[in-house]
Amino acid sequence: MVGVAQQDGLDVPRDLPEHSTTTIERGPFCLARCTCGWSGPARRARSLARTDARTHTATPAS
């Protein structure tokens, strides 16, 4: 089981979609982030970070 980091306290402007993901690079790592405050695990492969982002947006909100 892989843990997923969550970030609290991010304000999302009301005119943005609920989930808009992007990938960012930090040194040799890439990670997915969302406007809802979610952040995926650091990955060495950009393709895995993009998959994390797609999985996050496809998961129904609880």
Side-chain angles (χ1 to χ4, degrees), residues 7 24-31 33 39 42-43:
Q7 292 184 354
I24 62 168
E25 294 188 25
R26 287 196 178 156
F29 297 99
C30 186
L31 61 132
R33 280 195 164 168
S39 180
R43 306 284 196 173

Side-chain angles (χ1 to χ4, degrees), residues 24-57:
I24 62 168
E25 294 188 25
R26 287 196 178 156
F29 297 99
C30 186
L31 61 132
R33 280 195 164 168
C34 182
T35 54
C36 75
W38 172 86
S39 180
R43 306 284 196 173
R44 287 196 181 267
R46 288 181 189 97
S47 61
L48 290 176
R50 288 190 295 266
T51 299
D52 292 338
R54 280 192 298 274
T55 301
H56 170 71
T57 58

